[in-house]
Amino acid sequence: MKVTLRLKILLIVSLMLTSIILLSFVTLKEIQMQTNSELHQVSDIEHKIDLMSSELWLLQQYHDEDALTQTRVAHEELKALLDEELFSQNSKNTIVANLVRMNANIGALLDLSQKDLDSNFRHGITSPAGMLSARYNMTIQSMNEDLGKLERLAIKDSELSQRKILYAVVILLIVGSAVVLILTLLTLKSFSTNLNALTLGIKDLTKGNLNSRIEVKDTDELSVLAQQFNLMKRSLEETTVKKELLQLEVERQTKELQQQREEFQHQANHDSLTKLYSRGAFEEQMQTAIARCGRTNQSAALLFIDLDRFKVINDCHGHAAGDAVLIQIAQKLLKTVRSSDIIARIGGDEFVIWLEPIENATQVITVIHKLTEELAIPIQYQDLNLVIDASIGVSFFPIDAIELSSLLKVADDNMYKAKEIEGTTFQLTSKVTVGLSDAKMA
Amino acid sequence: MIKKLLLLLAFVGVATYLIVGVQTETSNEAFTAPIKIAMSTTPLSSPLIIAQELSLFDKHKVHVELLPVRGGHRSFTMMSNGEVDLATSSESVVMFNSFLRQDFTVLASFVESDNDLKLITLKSASITEAKLLEGKNVGMVESSASEFFIYAYMILTGNKQVKFNRVFMDASELGPALLSGRVDAISIWEPLGYQLNKEYGDQISQFQTRGIYNLSFNLVAQKASLENSMESYVRVLAAIDEAQSYIADNPKRAKSIVSDFLHIPVTELEWGWSDYLFRLSLSNVLLSNLQTQARWAIATGSVVDTKGMPDFRLLIDGRALEQAGGLVTDL
């Protein structure tokens, strides 16, 4: 039950209780007034009967016309009073009816007294006066008896109604108070339980716990509040989760982009087939290398390698075979030189190697020999044993040139020369050849 | 919370019981020995009939046997012979018997009527005034209200000196005696007066006698039985009291019950019903009535071999009525 509804019921019950108390007072007052009025009526009748009784006594004492007239007056007055008396209860009206009848009997007896006035007045039971006197006395006594009964009835009825009202009020008050008590206890309990739960929920939230929920058992306003609190917590939790997920996604995508960028850079700098430096990357590397050598006064050599009969392999065994050959060649080159040396593929079957530093031409020739030996090993492609020859042109820094383009040109020229001369696999420039035996070129 | 509610309910229940329950009296006493009542078959006995028919005696835990008899004087005889425990008799019967014995007591008066006795003559006899009864035969029931009534009437109407012949007979013989001309007038109680009126209304005439005489019907017991049976008598009176309340509240239904019991039509019952005043009482009115009648009886020689006026106070015992919660005044 909702708290406001409970409070409304409490208000209504309280108002009802107040009304009942007021109403009971009013009713009690009315009953008292009615009782008083009935007692007054009884008292009036009593007075008239008393009056008639004393007149009858006078009649019996004086036995004259005057006394009889006075008695008749009293008798008529009582008759008039009894005729108008009306009580609320049947039992009382029955008694009044008896009184009316007895009064009528008095009337009949008065008629007989009238007759007796004319006769000789005598006492004794066998005389009319004696017998009448006995009858009058009996009737008056009987009337007084009924009157007493009427009085007692009036008082008893009033007591009964008062008691009934009192009981009704007591029962209603007890029941009403019980209802008020129960409602108050229920409301109090609901308040304390729900407020405790809400307080705990808020404390939990303050600690940052978004998972916990307040247990909602009822449908009252505080329970609705608790429910709303739970909804707010869920909403908060959802928002937080979304934010974290977004962060993770951003990080994942950034990483992916980074990888892609690195891949693109690698692809841009390297030959996609052999994974060696591309021409562009090689040139870039060379700028740094030449500058470094110039700064440190070191010598270096550039080998220009061109594969012989590569076209034939391509044509005879297909491009796949050519590609396989190129990959194997690149492996061999990498295997042969130092890791600090720069290797690049700058054309279809053209490779360059930058050896740095070198101290003399012999060192270079040793490398060339190692290279030619390695290259002489046939390359296996499927079930084929492919033999590749290479012509190598060499240029030296700074002897042959100090710029890349010049160094490349010298090495290229030397490569062609080596190709032209039968049985030669490599060619140095003449300046270098002269001083081949020199320990130091630079 | 349920415990609290139960506690509250228990509290309310106990409180209600304390306020209301304590006021209710309980009576769980066992049934007492059967009480035989010789009941005069007249509507005056209505309270007893109603109590019997509505099982009010059972309700008040007393076993009662009603034995219908013709007239209160017979009822009294049965009681004094020890055939029954209680008799229903008019105060005239009590008065006449008080000169003969002192072993009985009046427990309560339960009905009164100011018009139960009638003075009836044959139209053909032309007795239009009381004084015309001079030398006539008047039928009456000896030592009963019937006897006192005719004398009271004659005295009150100033005709005491009128001499008539008393012809005693049984109540049931009065009507035929009048019709056959054996008597010229009869002093008779209801419903015999009504029956006569109904069947031979054109042949008879009735004197205006209302208010002349006040008849009461009383419950009379043997003094000796009083100590042992007091409790039962109290219950009988309580049942009669309740029956009288029933009569006051349900007059129509009450008349129907009495009419069925006495085998008389409701119209016949209606005839005298308004004359009856059903109430349990024991007051100086009865004492007064008894003394008046006793004085008359002595003065007129209606009783013989008397030891003077009986002390009626010794023949009235208000204890049972008092215990039954009825009216006992000035005794």
Side-chain angles (χ1 to χ4, degrees):
Chain A
M1 201 193 288
K2 294 204 166 174
V3 176
T4 43
L5 184 61
R6 270 189 211 146
L7 290 175
K8 273 179 197 166
I9 292 174
L10 268 180
L11 182 69
I12 290 166
V13 173
S14 307
L15 283 174
M16 261 172 56
L17 290 181
T18 314
S19 312
I20 287 166
I21 292 167
L22 284 175
L23 198 72
S24 62
F25 278 131
V26 171
T27 319
L28 281 174
K29 174 80 187 160
E30 271 178 12
I31 287 174
Q32 203 176 15
M33 281 169 73
Q34 195 190 335
T35 312
N36 283 344
S37 138
E38 287 192 349
L39 288 176
H40 274 126
Q41 285 175 326
V42 173
S43 160
D44 287 348
I45 297 170
E46 192 175 14
H47 174 67
K48 292 292 176 198
I49 290 175
D50 273 350
L51 198 68
M52 190 172 73
S53 177
S54 52
E55 294 298 344
L56 276 170
W57 184 81
L58 285 173
L59 176 66
Q60 287 161 44
Q61 292 302 310
Y62 295 100
H63 204 69
D64 59 15
E65 190 67 44
D66 186 42
L68 184 64
T69 312
Q70 290 303 317
T71 312
R72 275 198 193 282
V73 170
H75 163 73
E76 288 303 324
E77 278 177 6
L78 177 62
K79 186 173 180 292
L81 182 66
L82 288 174
D83 283 346
E84 71 186 35
E85 294 300 337
L86 261 180
F87 290 94
S88 48
Q89 273 98 358
N90 247 353
S91 50
K92 289 179 201 153
N93 283 327
T94 308
I95 294 173
V96 173
N98 288 342
L99 289 173
V100 168
R101 221 173 61 204
M102 285 186 266
N103 196 38
N105 287 345
I106 296 270
L109 293 172
L110 285 174
D111 288 343
L112 292 172
S113 284
Q114 178 77 57
K115 279 186 196 167
D116 190 41
L117 283 184
D118 310 329
S119 68
N120 295 327
F121 177 63
R122 283 192 300 126
H123 281 294
I125 193 66
T126 51
S127 72
M131 186 64 89
L132 277 169
S133 172
R135 289 289 299 131
Y136 282 135
N137 288 339
M138 267 187 269
T139 312
I140 290 291
Q141 274 187 40
S142 203
M143 284 175 109
N144 279 325
E145 201 180 318
D146 268 355
L147 199 64
K149 197 175 174 186
L150 189 64
E151 206 164 356
R152 277 191 294 277
L153 261 180
I155 292 168
K156 196 176 147 194
D157 282 351
S158 138
E159 276 175 359
L160 203 69
S161 338
Q162 281 181 17
R163 205 180 303 162
K164 268 187 199 166
I165 295 237
L166 194 68
Y167 288 162
V169 168
V170 166
I171 289 168
L172 279 170
L173 282 180
I174 288 173
V175 171
S177 307
V179 170
V180 168
L181 195 62
I182 290 166
L183 276 172
T184 311
L185 281 175
L186 285 173
T187 313
L188 208 62
K189 189 175 181 288
S190 162
F191 256 111
S192 77
T193 311
N194 286 327
L195 285 179
N196 274 343
L198 269 174
T199 311
L200 282 176
I202 290 167
K203 274 185 184 168
D204 237 19
L205 182 66
T206 316
K207 285 178 195 160
N209 183 357
L210 292 176
N211 296 326
S212 66
R213 296 284 181 269
I214 298 172
E215 203 180 336
V216 179
K217 291 175 188 165
D218 219 330
T219 53
D220 58 20
E221 291 87 340
L222 285 171
S223 300
V224 171
L225 187 62
Q227 233 164 5
Q228 288 301 323
F229 180 81
N230 282 343
L231 284 176
M232 183 190 79
K233 252 184 143 178
R234 198 172 74 187
S235 176
L236 263 175
E237 193 183 31
E238 279 172 5
T239 315
T240 312
V241 167
K242 270 184 197 160
K243 201 177 150 193
E244 277 173 2
L245 283 176
L246 193 67
Q247 184 70 32
L248 281 173
E249 183 63 18
V250 167
E251 278 172 13
R252 190 187 63 79
Q253 287 194 10
T254 310
K255 204 173 163 189
E256 206 174 279
L257 276 172
Q258 185 73 26
Q259 275 177 344
Q260 276 182 350
R261 200 167 63 96
E262 279 171 11
E263 262 172 44
F264 284 143
Q265 200 162 10
H266 193 267
Q267 276 171 11
N269 291 344
H270 294 80
D271 168 46
S272 61
L273 186 65
T274 60
K275 308 295 177 204
L276 299 175
Y277 279 122
S278 59
R279 187 184 186 100
F282 174 73
E283 284 173 355
E284 220 170 279
Q285 293 281 327
M286 286 306 291
Q287 297 296 335
T288 319
I290 288 167
R292 187 171 55 238
C293 288
R295 201 170 55 242
T296 55
N297 278 332
Q298 282 187 325
S299 300
L302 180 73
L303 310 186
F304 199 113
I305 302 163
D306 185 80
L307 302 181
D308 302 330
R309 295 197 305 275
F310 180 72
K311 196 171 178 301
V312 181
I313 289 170
N314 250 352
D315 295 343
C316 296
H317 306 294
H319 285 287
D323 287 349
V325 168
L326 287 172
I327 291 166
Q328 289 281 326
I329 297 292
Q331 295 296 319
K332 289 174 190 259
L333 295 181
L334 283 168
K335 206 165 92 182
T336 312
V337 302
R338 294 169 297 190
S339 60
S340 58
D341 298 333
I342 298 166
I343 308 169
R345 181 180 170 219
I346 57 169
D349 55 352
E350 292 169 344
F351 298 87
V352 288
I353 301 174
W354 174 257
L355 304 170
E356 180 205 335
I358 55 161
E359 290 176 355
N360 50 45
T362 316
Q363 270 187 333
V364 176
I365 292 164
T366 308
V367 172
I368 289 169
H369 283 304
K370 274 168 79 179
L371 274 172
T372 45
E373 274 172 31
E374 187 65 36
L375 291 173
I377 299 167
I379 292 167
Q380 283 222 312
Y381 173 70
Q382 291 174 353
D383 50 352
L384 297 170
N385 272 331
L386 302 170
V387 181
I388 298 288
D389 290 330
S391 301
I392 304 169
V394 183
S395 62
F396 289 92
F397 174 90
I399 296 171
D400 291 325
I402 55 165
E403 282 177 2
L404 178 62
S405 55
S406 310
L407 281 168
L408 275 171
K409 183 152 181 5
V410 173
D412 191 38
D413 290 349
N414 283 341
M415 184 274 289
Y416 274 107
K417 281 176 190 164
K419 228 181 241 293
E420 281 164 13
I421 304 163
E422 193 68 31
T424 305
T425 53
F426 71 97
Q427 182 66 49
L428 312 178
T429 48
S430 52
K431 286 184 260 182
V432 179
T433 316
V434 172
L436 240 182
S437 57
D438 296 348
K440 192 163 167 86
M441 290 192 305
Chain B
M1 183 53 67
I2 288 169
K3 263 189 184 174
K4 273 184 199 167
L5 284 181
L6 282 176
L7 271 174
L8 263 175
L9 281 177
F11 168 72
V12 170
V14 168
T16 314
Y17 171 77
L18 284 177
I19 294 163
V20 183
V22 170
Q23 308 279 331
T24 321
E25 282 173 27
T26 49
S27 166
N28 276 324
E29 283 179 47
F31 276 71
T32 44
I35 298 294
K36 288 183 183 173
I37 304 176
M39 182 196 74
S40 180
T41 51
T42 147
L44 289 165
S45 301
S46 291
L48 288 166
I49 296 168
I50 298 287
Q52 166 90 343
E53 295 301 292
L54 295 180
S55 306
L56 297 178
F57 290 126
D58 292 345
K59 186 181 166 187
H60 287 272
K61 308 213 183 298
V62 59
H63 184 210
V64 167
E65 275 178 45
L66 291 184
L67 300 160
V69 294
R70 270 184 168 268
H73 59 298
R74 280 193 178 182
S75 170
F76 191 95
T77 309
M78 284 176 81
M79 185 273 299
S80 50
N81 290 345
E83 293 171 54
V84 294
D85 297 291
L86 295 171
T88 60
S89 304
S90 71
E91 79 292 322
S92 301
V93 173
V94 170
M95 182 274 293
F96 280 117
N97 277 282
S98 67
F99 286 97
L100 306 173
R101 56 205 313 146
Q102 300 284 312
D103 59 349
F104 66 90
T105 184
V106 178
L107 297 179
S109 167
F110 59 87
V111 66
E112 287 164 41
S113 170
D114 54 13
N115 200 27
D116 198 59
L117 280 126
K118 306 285 158 56
L119 186 56
I120 298 170
T121 58
L122 273 177
K123 272 184 185 165
S124 55
S126 301
I127 304 171
T128 51
E129 287 178 81
K131 63 182 176 188
L132 296 178
L133 283 171
E134 181 74 46
K136 302 288 184 189
N137 293 328
V138 179
M140 63 191 77
V141 181
E142 191 182 11
S143 301
S144 76
S146 154
E147 187 182 350
F148 174 70
F149 170 69
I150 175 77
Y151 280 99
Y153 178 73
M154 297 306 278
I155 291 168
L156 280 169
T157 52
N159 293 300
K160 190 203 156 196
Q161 71 288 351
V162 174
K163 300 286 178 219
F164 54 86
N165 304 320
R166 294 187 289 188
V167 183
F168 294 132
M169 59 184 79
D170 198 75
S172 55
E173 292 167 18
L174 285 171
L178 177 69
L179 293 167
S180 65
R182 195 147 65 88
V183 293
D184 304 294
I186 51 170
S187 171
I188 194 170
W189 54 67
E190 294 297 351
L192 298 173
Y194 170 81
Q195 285 166 0
L196 215 54
N197 232 307
K198 194 179 150 202
E199 285 174 46
Y200 309 101
D202 51 340
Q203 297 178 43
I204 61 168
S205 68
Q206 192 176 306
F207 277 59
Q208 183 48 257
T209 54
R210 178 187 284 268
I212 293 292
Y213 166 68
N214 212 50
L215 174 131
S216 69
F217 238 48
N218 308 279
L219 216 53
V220 191
Q222 282 196 349
K223 263 185 190 165
S225 74
L226 214 56
E227 295 316 314
N228 285 333
S229 305
M230 180 60 91
E231 183 66 30
S232 301
Y233 294 163
V234 170
R235 291 163 191 270
V236 168
L237 289 175
I240 291 174
D241 192 36
E242 193 172 337
Q244 289 181 339
S245 301
Y246 181 85
I247 292 170
D249 295 336
N250 312 280
K252 218 172 169 182
R253 178 86 194 105
K255 275 182 252 182
S256 161
I257 291 170
V258 174
S259 140
D260 287 346
F261 189 90
L262 294 176
H263 305 294
I264 54 172
V266 176
T267 43
E268 185 179 325
L269 200 60
E270 297 270 9
W271 176 261
W273 191 265
S274 60
D275 296 331
Y276 301 143
L277 167 55
F278 295 109
R279 63 169 177 188
L280 271 179
S281 79
L282 204 54
S283 67
N284 281 355
V285 178
L286 177 67
L287 205 55
S288 215
N289 209 349
L290 285 169
Q291 279 180 339
T292 303
Q293 293 191 27
R295 274 202 295 275
W296 160 81
I298 293 167
T300 56
S302 296
V303 284
V304 285
D305 299 333
T306 63
K307 295 167 189 167
M309 184 84 155
D311 187 347
F312 288 106
R313 290 176 298 177
L314 302 175
L315 299 178
I316 292 173
D317 193 322
R319 284 178 294 164
L321 182 59
E322 205 163 6
Q323 283 184 49
L327 280 173
V328 182
T329 51
D330 313 324
L331 276 172

